[in-house]
Structures are given as structure tokens and as C-alpha cells.
Amino acid sequence: MSVQKKVLSMYKIISLKRIMLCIAGMAAAVICCKLIFSSMSHNTVQTASNTGNDGIELPILMYHGILKDTKLQGDYVISPSQFEQDLKMLKEKGFHTVTVSSLIDYVYSGKPIPEKPVMLTFDDGYYNNYLYAYPLLKKYKCSAVISPIAYYSEYYSNSGEKPSASYFHCTWQQLKEMQESGFAEIQNHSYNMHSQNGRQGIQRKKSEGVYEYRLTVKDDILKSQKMLYEKLGTYPQAFVYPFGEYNSISEELLKELSFKCTMICEERINVITKNPDSLYKLGRFLRSNRLTAEEMYTKITSPR
């Protein structure tokens, strides 16, 4: 009321009608300011969890082997206890594990991604992933992306050998069990592009023409794709580059083959947006046994 009296005393020449219009305008302005403030507050909360309109930050951890033998541990092999500490740490820090399918559903269908997403990936499909990592994934209710070398899964499925944690690879039956549990998602890591003479991963040889190179890579990837579908019943939608080696030709080819995601070995935090291109060449952090879980946490959350 006092505010209205001041207004009336200052502007006695203004008609009552205009005063009422002025008051109505002020009320509208107050409401507008409240709405703007509310929107700003909401966006601040969103930004804290998923960087708002700029996308969702996604760190990806890259594992290979898990072994108890300390002599075999190193940059590419950690102990079961270290893996368990990682899972505990991620849970305590509020992270939620996601899979490739989760990302594709978000980008293409708008399906929400959990707060503070993180992806755990295992390259090569070693038997020790099934022996040591799988029980821990179930224990902590976490998911992982396992990308086997199809040649070795085929070989050890038919070898009749007694499984060895140090060198054996997962059989089709073991991969299928993990996939059907919901705690593992299987993706493509080539049929056998790890051990070709004169080639690092799927990189092009110097003596190789573009047509020959494309045909070689295409045949290998499709052979793995066909085999994974026949044995596991699903077509992988991501290709995990052997040794992280890629080039513009391979990226173009994988898109032509309907792959919606590719992963490399560059250490960086990914930003996932509604743009499908944000799912290609995803960077990953190598999980070495030389780091503690806390040091790993610092590594995957530090600004870059």
C-alpha cells in the first residue's frame, strides 16, 4: 500500500486507469522475473550433472586382463581386488554404469541417461573377464561392455582345452551367459585384426590400395559380425578399434556398415550430445595396475 501511495503522490496527474495498468505491468514483470530465476536455477542443476545443452560428460575406462598373479600384472592387467576397488569407488562417488545401447537410446530416441554415467569396457574377451570381473559386476550391480576377438572365442570354444586364466579367451557359451545376465554387453573388436603381419590393428598397409584395404577390413568386420549374431543372437552396434588404430577410411566404412559407435584409445572425457556423430571415436582411459582407485577417479574427472 505504501508503494502505491508514493506512486499516487508523484503522479497525481495520471488517471486511475493508467495507474492500474502500471501496477498490472509491475506484477507481470515480477512474475516474469520469478520464472526466469526458476529456469536459471533448473539449468544450473542440469549443468552440474550433464553439462546442459553442451552434452553429457562420459568417462570410459578401458580394461583388458584381470589376474591374481602379481608377476603378470601391469599396464594391461590388474588384480581382481583392484577391479573391486574401482567398482566400490564408482558407487561411492555416485556413478552409474552405462552401455553402448544406453548411449544409442539417448541419442536416437531421447531415452534418459542416469546421473554421472561411466562406461567400463573390456577389450579382447579374455576368460579372466568371465572368471573374475563378471562375478564382481553382478555383486555390485554394474554393467560392462566386453569386446572379444571373434577368432579366439571361436578357437577356444572348440579347442577342448582346460581354461587358463592367464591366456584363455571366453567361449561363446560364457559370452552368452554374461550377455543374458544383463551385466555385460558384447560389441565387435574384429574377427582377427590383432595379429596380421605388417598391420597395426586395422591400419592400412603402405603397399595397400584403398579398394583392397576397404575390402580386407570390411570382410574381417562382417565375418565377426555374422559370427557374433549366430552365436549370441545380437548384432553389435559398436566397433572397438584394435590398439585404438583408426583412420578416416575406416570411420567412413563403419558408418556404411551401420555401426553407430566406435571407440579408440585416446584418453579424454567424452561429451555425448543428441548429434549421432558424438558417438564416434569415443576416448577411453587405460586402467593400469599402477594407479589406485582414487587416482583413477582423479584421472577420469579432471578437466582437460
Side-chain angles (χ1 to χ4, degrees):
M1 184 62 70
S2 60
V3 173
Q4 289 180 349
K5 287 181 178 179
K6 288 182 180 180
V7 172
L8 287 170
S9 64
M10 291 176 63
Y11 301 102
K12 289 181 180 180
I13 60 172
I14 300 176
S15 66
L16 180 61
K17 183 177 179 180
R18 293 186 65 184
I19 293 173
M20 295 303 293
L21 289 173
C22 181
I23 293 172
M26 291 171 65
V30 170
I31 293 172
C32 182
C33 288
K34 286 183 177 180
L35 289 173
I36 291 171
F37 180 78
S38 174
S39 175
M40 288 175 65
S41 299
H42 175 69
N43 287 339
T44 301
V45 173
Q46 258 194 336
T47 300
S49 60
N50 62 20
T51 71
N53 294 329
D54 295 329
I56 296 174
E57 290 189 348
L58 175 71
I60 303 178
L61 290 172
M62 177 173 58
Y63 299 88
H64 290 78
I66 297 183
L67 294 171
K68 292 182 177 180
D69 189 344
T70 56
K71 295 179 181 178
L72 299 177
Q73 293 168 15
D75 284 337
Y76 298 95
V77 179
I78 65 172
S79 68
S81 61
Q82 283 179 307
F83 183 60
E84 183 165 18
Q85 287 302 313
D86 286 356
L87 297 181
K88 284 183 178 179
M89 176 271 293
L90 292 171
K91 286 283 188 179
E92 290 170 358
K93 302 294 186 180
F95 281 94
H96 297 87
T97 54
V98 297
T99 60
V100 172
S101 297
S102 304
L103 302 184
I104 292 174
D105 286 344
Y106 169 76
V107 173
Y108 287 86
S109 304
K111 186 175 180 180
I113 287 180
E115 293 286 319
K116 296 186 71 172
V118 65
M119 185 181 290
L120 312 178
T121 64
F122 284 84
D123 288 10
D124 305 334
Y126 291 109
Y127 167 67
N128 53 56
N129 298 173
Y130 174 80
L131 183 63
Y132 297 124
Y134 177 45
L136 291 171
L137 290 171
K138 290 191 292 184
K139 178 180 178 180
Y140 291 93
K141 293 180 171 54
C142 293
S143 60
V145 175
I146 299 177
S147 304
I149 304 170
Y151 169 84
Y152 289 108
S153 289
E154 180 73 1
Y155 175 83
Y156 286 108
S157 292
N158 300 319
S159 69
E161 297 179 38
K162 183 179 179 180
S164 168
S166 61
Y167 69 89
F168 217 77
H169 286 247
C170 286
T171 63
W172 297 125
Q173 182 179 352
Q174 290 159 354
L175 290 171
K176 190 173 182 65
E177 178 188 337
M178 290 191 287
Q179 176 180 265
E180 291 181 345
S181 74
F183 294 106
E185 181 181 78
I186 310 302
Q187 298 297 342
N188 195 323
H189 197 42
S190 85
Y191 173 72
N192 191 24
M193 296 296 284
H194 278 70
S195 56
Q196 291 196 9
N197 292 330
R199 191 191 305 278
Q200 175 75 358
I202 68 167
Q203 278 290 24
R204 178 181 167 191
K205 294 180 180 180
K206 292 182 179 180
S207 60
E208 210 168 27
V210 173
Y211 176 80
E212 180 187 358
Y213 169 69
R214 281 176 57 93
L215 186 62
T216 299
V217 173
K218 181 179 180 179
D219 286 349
D220 178 276
I221 292 174
L222 288 182
K223 185 173 183 178
S224 175
Q225 200 77 337
K226 181 175 181 291
M227 191 171 286
L228 289 166
Y229 177 74
E230 289 176 348
K231 303 299 183 181
L232 305 179
T234 57
Y235 278 115
Q237 293 183 291
F239 184 77
V240 181
Y241 281 104
F243 306 111
E245 297 287 349
Y246 71 96
N247 54 56
S248 59
I249 299 175
S250 66
E251 279 289 283
E252 179 184 26
L253 176 60
L254 286 161
K255 290 178 181 179
E256 290 175 9
L257 296 176
S258 299
F259 282 89
K260 291 184 168 64
C261 174
T262 59
M263 298 187 203
I264 57 177
C265 297
E266 180 182 330
E267 294 199 335
R268 57 180 169 78
I269 297 174
N270 306 285
V271 178
I272 308 300
T273 68
K274 293 300 180 68
N275 184 343
D277 285 341
S278 67
L279 294 180
Y280 293 95
K281 294 183 288 186
L282 296 180
R284 299 183 293 162
F285 293 90
L286 175 63
R287 180 50 169 115
S288 165
N289 83 320
R290 307 181 200 287
L291 299 176
T292 65
E294 283 295 330
E295 289 171 335
M296 192 70 234
Y297 169 74
T298 300
K299 191 174 184 181
I300 66 174
T301 55
S302 297
R304 290 172 180 263

PDB file of all heavy atoms in Angstrom, residues 88-118:
ATOM      1  N   LYS A  88      33.672 -50.213  -6.178  1.00  0.00           N
ATOM      2  CA  LYS A  88      33.290 -49.565  -4.911  1.00  0.00           C
ATOM      3  C   LYS A  88      33.423 -48.053  -5.024  1.00  0.00           C
ATOM      4  O   LYS A  88      32.543 -47.300  -4.593  1.00  0.00           O
ATOM      5  CB  LYS A  88      34.190 -50.076  -3.771  1.00  0.00           C
ATOM      6  CG  LYS A  88      33.869 -51.464  -3.263  1.00  0.00           C
ATOM      7  CD  LYS A  88      34.790 -51.808  -2.095  1.00  0.00           C
ATOM      8  CE  LYS A  88      34.480 -53.179  -1.519  1.00  0.00           C
ATOM      9  NZ  LYS A  88      35.392 -53.512  -0.397  1.00  0.00           N
ATOM     10  N   MET A  89      34.551 -47.608  -5.573  1.00  0.00           N
ATOM     11  CA  MET A  89      34.810 -46.180  -5.709  1.00  0.00           C
ATOM     12  C   MET A  89      33.750 -45.512  -6.575  1.00  0.00           C
ATOM     13  O   MET A  89      33.212 -44.457  -6.225  1.00  0.00           O
ATOM     14  CB  MET A  89      36.200 -45.961  -6.313  1.00  0.00           C
ATOM     15  CG  MET A  89      36.560 -44.506  -6.608  1.00  0.00           C
ATOM     16  SD  MET A  89      36.068 -43.951  -8.279  1.00  0.00           S
ATOM     17  CE  MET A  89      37.159 -44.934  -9.300  1.00  0.00           C
ATOM     18  N   LEU A  90      33.419 -46.129  -7.707  1.00  0.00           N
ATOM     19  CA  LEU A  90      32.427 -45.552  -8.611  1.00  0.00           C
ATOM     20  C   LEU A  90      31.055 -45.460  -7.940  1.00  0.00           C
ATOM     21  O   LEU A  90      30.333 -44.467  -8.099  1.00  0.00           O
ATOM     22  CB  LEU A  90      32.336 -46.385  -9.890  1.00  0.00           C
ATOM     23  CG  LEU A  90      33.573 -46.343 -10.796  1.00  0.00           C
ATOM     24  CD1 LEU A  90      33.462 -47.368 -11.918  1.00  0.00           C
ATOM     25  CD2 LEU A  90      33.786 -44.938 -11.368  1.00  0.00           C
ATOM     26  N   LYS A  91      30.718 -46.486  -7.176  1.00  0.00           N
ATOM     27  CA  LYS A  91      29.444 -46.473  -6.448  1.00  0.00           C
ATOM     28  C   LYS A  91      29.429 -45.348  -5.406  1.00  0.00           C
ATOM     29  O   LYS A  91      28.453 -44.605  -5.279  1.00  0.00           O
ATOM     30  CB  LYS A  91      29.218 -47.821  -5.766  1.00  0.00           C
ATOM     31  CG  LYS A  91      28.822 -48.954  -6.688  1.00  0.00           C
ATOM     32  CD  LYS A  91      27.352 -48.844  -7.075  1.00  0.00           C
ATOM     33  CE  LYS A  91      26.888 -50.065  -7.834  1.00  0.00           C
ATOM     34  NZ  LYS A  91      25.443 -49.976  -8.189  1.00  0.00           N
ATOM     35  N   GLU A  92      30.513 -45.235  -4.663  1.00  0.00           N
ATOM     36  CA  GLU A  92      30.599 -44.229  -3.604  1.00  0.00           C
ATOM     37  C   GLU A  92      30.561 -42.810  -4.158  1.00  0.00           C
ATOM     38  O   GLU A  92      30.035 -41.894  -3.524  1.00  0.00           O
ATOM     39  CB  GLU A  92      31.886 -44.435  -2.795  1.00  0.00           C
ATOM     40  CG  GLU A  92      31.870 -45.687  -1.929  1.00  0.00           C
ATOM     41  CD  GLU A  92      33.228 -46.006  -1.333  1.00  0.00           C
ATOM     42  OE1 GLU A  92      34.194 -45.258  -1.626  1.00  0.00           O
ATOM     43  OE2 GLU A  92      33.339 -46.995  -0.591  1.00  0.00           O
ATOM     44  N   LYS A  93      31.110 -42.631  -5.357  1.00  0.00           N
ATOM     45  CA  LYS A  93      31.141 -41.310  -5.980  1.00  0.00           C
ATOM     46  C   LYS A  93      29.853 -40.993  -6.748  1.00  0.00           C
ATOM     47  O   LYS A  93      29.732 -39.923  -7.340  1.00  0.00           O
ATOM     48  CB  LYS A  93      32.340 -41.201  -6.938  1.00  0.00           C
ATOM     49  CG  LYS A  93      33.696 -41.439  -6.291  1.00  0.00           C
ATOM     50  CD  LYS A  93      34.058 -40.363  -5.289  1.00  0.00           C
ATOM     51  CE  LYS A  93      35.491 -40.564  -4.771  1.00  0.00           C
ATOM     52  NZ  LYS A  93      35.876 -39.530  -3.782  1.00  0.00           N
ATOM     53  N   GLY A  94      28.923 -41.918  -6.734  1.00  0.00           N
ATOM     54  CA  GLY A  94      27.631 -41.658  -7.371  1.00  0.00           C
ATOM     55  C   GLY A  94      27.551 -41.928  -8.849  1.00  0.00           C
ATOM     56  O   GLY A  94      26.615 -41.484  -9.526  1.00  0.00           O
ATOM     57  N   PHE A  95      28.520 -42.674  -9.402  1.00  0.00           N
ATOM     58  CA  PHE A  95      28.497 -43.000 -10.827  1.00  0.00           C
ATOM     59  C   PHE A  95      27.523 -44.142 -11.120  1.00  0.00           C
ATOM     60  O   PHE A  95      27.260 -44.989 -10.258  1.00  0.00           O
ATOM     61  CB  PHE A  95      29.892 -43.404 -11.312  1.00  0.00           C
ATOM     62  CG  PHE A  95      30.813 -42.246 -11.564  1.00  0.00           C
ATOM     63  CD1 PHE A  95      31.681 -41.801 -10.575  1.00  0.00           C
ATOM     64  CD2 PHE A  95      30.811 -41.588 -12.781  1.00  0.00           C
ATOM     65  CE1 PHE A  95      32.525 -40.717 -10.796  1.00  0.00           C
ATOM     66  CE2 PHE A  95      31.655 -40.514 -13.025  1.00  0.00           C
ATOM     67  CZ  PHE A  95      32.514 -40.078 -12.026  1.00  0.00           C
ATOM     68  N   HIS A  96      27.019 -44.165 -12.346  1.00  0.00           N
ATOM     69  CA  HIS A  96      26.154 -45.244 -12.814  1.00  0.00           C
ATOM     70  C   HIS A  96      26.720 -45.786 -14.120  1.00  0.00           C
ATOM     71  O   HIS A  96      26.988 -45.019 -15.052  1.00  0.00           O
ATOM     72  CB  HIS A  96      24.730 -44.737 -13.050  1.00  0.00           C
ATOM     73  CG  HIS A  96      24.056 -44.229 -11.811  1.00  0.00           C
ATOM     74  ND1 HIS A  96      24.187 -42.925 -11.381  1.00  0.00           N
ATOM     75  CD2 HIS A  96      23.262 -44.857 -10.898  1.00  0.00           C
ATOM     76  CE1 HIS A  96      23.503 -42.766 -10.264  1.00  0.00           C
ATOM     77  NE2 HIS A  96      22.932 -43.918  -9.948  1.00  0.00           N
ATOM     78  N   THR A  97      26.923 -47.098 -14.189  1.00  0.00           N
ATOM     79  CA  THR A  97      27.490 -47.694 -15.396  1.00  0.00           C
ATOM     80  C   THR A  97      26.448 -47.738 -16.507  1.00  0.00           C
ATOM     81  O   THR A  97      25.277 -48.027 -16.280  1.00  0.00           O
ATOM     82  CB  THR A  97      28.012 -49.114 -15.119  1.00  0.00           C
ATOM     83  OG1 THR A  97      26.967 -49.904 -14.522  1.00  0.00           O
ATOM     84  CG2 THR A  97      29.210 -49.079 -14.186  1.00  0.00           C
ATOM     85  N   VAL A  98      26.896 -47.448 -17.718  1.00  0.00           N
ATOM     86  CA  VAL A  98      26.021 -47.471 -18.894  1.00  0.00           C
ATOM     87  C   VAL A  98      26.665 -48.316 -19.986  1.00  0.00           C
ATOM     88  O   VAL A  98      27.866 -48.613 -19.941  1.00  0.00           O
ATOM     89  CB  VAL A  98      25.741 -46.051 -19.426  1.00  0.00           C
ATOM     90  CG1 VAL A  98      24.995 -45.225 -18.399  1.00  0.00           C
ATOM     91  CG2 VAL A  98      27.044 -45.356 -19.841  1.00  0.00           C
ATOM     92  N   THR A  99      25.880 -48.688 -20.973  1.00  0.00           N
ATOM     93  CA  THR A  99      26.363 -49.485 -22.097  1.00  0.00           C
ATOM     94  C   THR A  99      26.223 -48.685 -23.395  1.00  0.00           C
ATOM     95  O   THR A  99      25.669 -47.579 -23.403  1.00  0.00           O
ATOM     96  CB  THR A  99      25.550 -50.779 -22.222  1.00  0.00           C
ATOM     97  OG1 THR A  99      24.172 -50.447 -22.432  1.00  0.00           O
ATOM     98  CG2 THR A  99      25.684 -51.637 -20.966  1.00  0.00           C
ATOM     99  N   VAL A 100      26.700 -49.267 -24.470  1.00  0.00           N
ATOM    100  CA  VAL A 100      26.562 -48.631 -25.782  1.00  0.00           C
ATOM    101  C   VAL A 100      25.092 -48.451 -26.132  1.00  0.00           C
ATOM    102  O   VAL A 100      24.674 -47.412 -26.646  1.00  0.00           O
ATOM    103  CB  VAL A 100      27.280 -49.456 -26.865  1.00  0.00           C
ATOM    104  CG1 VAL A 100      26.970 -48.895 -28.265  1.00  0.00           C
ATOM    105  CG2 VAL A 100      28.786 -49.466 -26.629  1.00  0.00           C
ATOM    106  N   SER A 101      24.301 -49.447 -25.834  1.00  0.00           N
ATOM    107  CA  SER A 101      22.861 -49.368 -26.112  1.00  0.00           C
ATOM    108  C   SER A 101      22.219 -48.182 -25.404  1.00  0.00           C
ATOM    109  O   SER A 101      21.331 -47.521 -25.945  1.00  0.00           O
ATOM    110  CB  SER A 101      22.165 -50.661 -25.691  1.00  0.00           C
ATOM    111  OG  SER A 101      22.649 -51.754 -26.444  1.00  0.00           O
ATOM    112  N   SER A 102      22.665 -47.922 -24.174  1.00  0.00           N
ATOM    113  CA  SER A 102      22.143 -46.773 -23.415  1.00  0.00           C
ATOM    114  C   SER A 102      22.421 -45.465 -24.156  1.00  0.00           C
ATOM    115  O   SER A 102      21.554 -44.586 -24.235  1.00  0.00           O
ATOM    116  CB  SER A 102      22.781 -46.706 -22.029  1.00  0.00           C
ATOM    117  OG  SER A 102      22.590 -47.894 -21.310  1.00  0.00           O
ATOM    118  N   LEU A 103      23.636 -45.337 -24.687  1.00  0.00           N
ATOM    119  CA  LEU A 103      24.012 -44.122 -25.401  1.00  0.00           C
ATOM    120  C   LEU A 103      23.201 -43.971 -26.684  1.00  0.00           C
ATOM    121  O   LEU A 103      22.729 -42.877 -27.014  1.00  0.00           O
ATOM    122  CB  LEU A 103      25.505 -44.147 -25.737  1.00  0.00           C
ATOM    123  CG  LEU A 103      26.494 -44.289 -24.578  1.00  0.00           C
ATOM    124  CD1 LEU A 103      27.922 -44.191 -25.097  1.00  0.00           C
ATOM    125  CD2 LEU A 103      26.247 -43.235 -23.511  1.00  0.00           C
ATOM    126  N   ILE A 104      23.059 -45.057 -27.408  1.00  0.00           N
ATOM    127  CA  ILE A 104      22.299 -45.026 -28.669  1.00  0.00           C
ATOM    128  C   ILE A 104      20.839 -44.663 -28.400  1.00  0.00           C
ATOM    129  O   ILE A 104      20.241 -43.861 -29.131  1.00  0.00           O
ATOM    130  CB  ILE A 104      22.414 -46.372 -29.398  1.00  0.00           C
ATOM    131  CG1 ILE A 104      23.860 -46.565 -29.883  1.00  0.00           C
ATOM    132  CG2 ILE A 104      21.435 -46.455 -30.574  1.00  0.00           C
ATOM    133  CD1 ILE A 104      24.139 -47.921 -30.494  1.00  0.00           C
ATOM    134  N   ASP A 105      20.268 -45.220 -27.349  1.00  0.00           N
ATOM    135  CA  ASP A 105      18.876 -44.910 -26.999  1.00  0.00           C
ATOM    136  C   ASP A 105      18.724 -43.432 -26.634  1.00  0.00           C
ATOM    137  O   ASP A 105      17.706 -42.812 -26.950  1.00  0.00           O
ATOM    138  CB  ASP A 105      18.417 -45.773 -25.816  1.00  0.00           C
ATOM    139  CG  ASP A 105      18.172 -47.220 -26.209  1.00  0.00           C
ATOM    140  OD1 ASP A 105      18.050 -47.497 -27.425  1.00  0.00           O
ATOM    141  OD2 ASP A 105      18.111 -48.080 -25.307  1.00  0.00           O
ATOM    142  N   TYR A 106      19.732 -42.878 -25.995  1.00  0.00           N
ATOM    143  CA  TYR A 106      19.689 -41.460 -25.628  1.00  0.00           C
ATOM    144  C   TYR A 106      19.768 -40.571 -26.873  1.00  0.00           C
ATOM    145  O   TYR A 106      18.970 -39.645 -27.044  1.00  0.00           O
ATOM    146  CB  TYR A 106      20.840 -41.118 -24.675  1.00  0.00           C
ATOM    147  CG  TYR A 106      21.021 -39.631 -24.460  1.00  0.00           C
ATOM    148  CD1 TYR A 106      20.145 -38.919 -23.643  1.00  0.00           C
ATOM    149  CD2 TYR A 106      22.059 -38.944 -25.090  1.00  0.00           C
ATOM    150  CE1 TYR A 106      20.308 -37.553 -23.458  1.00  0.00           C
ATOM    151  CE2 TYR A 106      22.218 -37.572 -24.911  1.00  0.00           C
ATOM    152  CZ  TYR A 106      21.346 -36.884 -24.099  1.00  0.00           C
ATOM    153  OH  TYR A 106      21.496 -35.530 -23.930  1.00  0.00           O
ATOM    154  N   VAL A 107      20.732 -40.860 -27.728  1.00  0.00           N
ATOM    155  CA  VAL A 107      20.966 -40.018 -28.904  1.00  0.00           C
ATOM    156  C   VAL A 107      19.837 -40.129 -29.931  1.00  0.00           C
ATOM    157  O   VAL A 107      19.366 -39.123 -30.465  1.00  0.00           O
ATOM    158  CB  VAL A 107      22.315 -40.372 -29.562  1.00  0.00           C
ATOM    159  CG1 VAL A 107      22.490 -39.631 -30.885  1.00  0.00           C
ATOM    160  CG2 VAL A 107      23.464 -40.031 -28.617  1.00  0.00           C
ATOM    161  N   TYR A 108      19.396 -41.344 -30.182  1.00  0.00           N
ATOM    162  CA  TYR A 108      18.421 -41.552 -31.258  1.00  0.00           C
ATOM    163  C   TYR A 108      16.963 -41.528 -30.792  1.00  0.00           C
ATOM    164  O   TYR A 108      16.065 -41.230 -31.588  1.00  0.00           O
ATOM    165  CB  TYR A 108      18.698 -42.880 -31.961  1.00  0.00           C
ATOM    166  CG  TYR A 108      19.920 -42.854 -32.841  1.00  0.00           C
ATOM    167  CD1 TYR A 108      21.186 -43.118 -32.317  1.00  0.00           C
ATOM    168  CD2 TYR A 108      19.829 -42.567 -34.195  1.00  0.00           C
ATOM    169  CE1 TYR A 108      22.320 -43.092 -33.119  1.00  0.00           C
ATOM    170  CE2 TYR A 108      20.956 -42.531 -35.010  1.00  0.00           C
ATOM    171  CZ  TYR A 108      22.196 -42.796 -34.468  1.00  0.00           C
ATOM    172  OH  TYR A 108      23.309 -42.761 -35.264  1.00  0.00           O
ATOM    173  N   SER A 109      16.715 -41.836 -29.528  1.00  0.00           N
ATOM    174  CA  SER A 109      15.330 -41.918 -29.050  1.00  0.00           C
ATOM    175  C   SER A 109      15.016 -41.003 -27.878  1.00  0.00           C
ATOM    176  O   SER A 109      13.873 -40.947 -27.428  1.00  0.00           O
ATOM    177  CB  SER A 109      15.008 -43.373 -28.656  1.00  0.00           C
ATOM    178  OG  SER A 109      15.253 -44.256 -29.731  1.00  0.00           O
ATOM    179  N   GLY A 110      16.025 -40.319 -27.364  1.00  0.00           N
ATOM    180  CA  GLY A 110      15.790 -39.401 -26.258  1.00  0.00           C
ATOM    181  C   GLY A 110      15.598 -40.057 -24.911  1.00  0.00           C
ATOM    182  O   GLY A 110      15.163 -39.414 -23.951  1.00  0.00           O
ATOM    183  N   LYS A 111      15.930 -41.346 -24.806  1.00  0.00           N
ATOM    184  CA  LYS A 111      15.790 -42.040 -23.532  1.00  0.00           C
ATOM    185  C   LYS A 111      16.825 -41.503 -22.542  1.00  0.00           C
ATOM    186  O   LYS A 111      18.007 -41.412 -22.867  1.00  0.00           O
ATOM    187  CB  LYS A 111      15.980 -43.541 -23.714  1.00  0.00           C
ATOM    188  CG  LYS A 111      15.698 -44.359 -22.464  1.00  0.00           C
ATOM    189  CD  LYS A 111      15.788 -45.845 -22.751  1.00  0.00           C
ATOM    190  CE  LYS A 111      15.514 -46.673 -21.502  1.00  0.00           C
ATOM    191  NZ  LYS A 111      15.596 -48.129 -21.768  1.00  0.00           N
ATOM    192  N   PRO A 112      16.416 -41.132 -21.324  1.00  0.00           N
ATOM    193  CA  PRO A 112      17.344 -40.523 -20.360  1.00  0.00           C
ATOM    194  C   PRO A 112      18.521 -41.439 -20.001  1.00  0.00           C
ATOM    195  O   PRO A 112      18.399 -42.664 -19.996  1.00  0.00           O
ATOM    196  CB  PRO A 112      16.467 -40.273 -19.124  1.00  0.00           C
ATOM    197  CG  PRO A 112      15.071 -40.265 -19.641  1.00  0.00           C
ATOM    198  CD  PRO A 112      15.049 -41.240 -20.777  1.00  0.00           C
ATOM    199  N   ILE A 113      19.635 -40.801 -19.698  1.00  0.00           N
ATOM    200  CA  ILE A 113      20.823 -41.497 -19.195  1.00  0.00           C
ATOM    201  C   ILE A 113      20.937 -41.185 -17.710  1.00  0.00           C
ATOM    202  O   ILE A 113      20.659 -40.060 -17.285  1.00  0.00           O
ATOM    203  CB  ILE A 113      22.090 -41.033 -19.944  1.00  0.00           C
ATOM    204  CG1 ILE A 113      22.098 -41.596 -21.363  1.00  0.00           C
ATOM    205  CG2 ILE A 113      23.352 -41.461 -19.224  1.00  0.00           C
ATOM    206  CD1 ILE A 113      23.310 -41.198 -22.169  1.00  0.00           C
ATOM    207  N   PRO A 114      21.323 -42.159 -16.879  1.00  0.00           N
ATOM    208  CA  PRO A 114      21.443 -41.916 -15.434  1.00  0.00           C
ATOM    209  C   PRO A 114      22.428 -40.791 -15.117  1.00  0.00           C
ATOM    210  O   PRO A 114      23.315 -40.469 -15.915  1.00  0.00           O
ATOM    211  CB  PRO A 114      21.951 -43.256 -14.893  1.00  0.00           C
ATOM    212  CG  PRO A 114      21.594 -44.256 -15.928  1.00  0.00           C
ATOM    213  CD  PRO A 114      21.663 -43.540 -17.239  1.00  0.00           C
ATOM    214  N   GLU A 115      22.272 -40.206 -13.966  1.00  0.00           N
ATOM    215  CA  GLU A 115      23.205 -39.179 -13.489  1.00  0.00           C
ATOM    216  C   GLU A 115      24.620 -39.764 -13.407  1.00  0.00           C
ATOM    217  O   GLU A 115      24.806 -40.921 -13.063  1.00  0.00           O
ATOM    218  CB  GLU A 115      22.781 -38.690 -12.099  1.00  0.00           C
ATOM    219  CG  GLU A 115      21.464 -37.916 -12.087  1.00  0.00           C
ATOM    220  CD  GLU A 115      21.610 -36.527 -12.660  1.00  0.00           C
ATOM    221  OE1 GLU A 115      22.630 -35.874 -12.373  1.00  0.00           O
ATOM    222  OE2 GLU A 115      20.716 -36.094 -13.402  1.00  0.00           O
ATOM    223  N   LYS A 116      25.617 -38.954 -13.713  1.00  0.00           N
ATOM    224  CA  LYS A 116      27.033 -39.327 -13.634  1.00  0.00           C
ATOM    225  C   LYS A 116      27.294 -40.691 -14.294  1.00  0.00           C
ATOM    226  O   LYS A 116      27.693 -41.646 -13.639  1.00  0.00           O
ATOM    227  CB  LYS A 116      27.503 -39.333 -12.183  1.00  0.00           C
ATOM    228  CG  LYS A 116      27.448 -37.966 -11.507  1.00  0.00           C
ATOM    229  CD  LYS A 116      28.053 -37.987 -10.125  1.00  0.00           C
ATOM    230  CE  LYS A 116      29.567 -38.148 -10.164  1.00  0.00           C
ATOM    231  NZ  LYS A 116      30.185 -37.972  -8.825  1.00  0.00           N
ATOM    232  N   PRO A 117      27.105 -40.770 -15.598  1.00  0.00           N
ATOM    233  CA  PRO A 117      27.345 -42.042 -16.278  1.00  0.00           C
ATOM    234  C   PRO A 117      28.834 -42.337 -16.432  1.00  0.00           C
ATOM    235  O   PRO A 117      29.658 -41.425 -16.537  1.00  0.00           O
ATOM    236  CB  PRO A 117      26.690 -41.833 -17.650  1.00  0.00           C
ATOM    237  CG  PRO A 117      26.828 -40.362 -17.891  1.00  0.00           C
ATOM    238  CD  PRO A 117      26.653 -39.724 -16.533  1.00  0.00           C
ATOM    239  N   VAL A 118      29.170 -43.606 -16.437  1.00  0.00           N
ATOM    240  CA  VAL A 118      30.529 -44.070 -16.709  1.00  0.00           C
ATOM    241  C   VAL A 118      30.412 -45.400 -17.438  1.00  0.00           C
ATOM    242  O   VAL A 118      29.461 -46.151 -17.208  1.00  0.00           O
ATOM    243  CB  VAL A 118      31.355 -44.230 -15.396  1.00  0.00           C
ATOM    244  CG1 VAL A 118      30.763 -45.327 -14.510  1.00  0.00           C
ATOM    245  CG2 VAL A 118      32.820 -44.527 -15.700  1.00  0.00           C
TER     246      VAL A 118
END
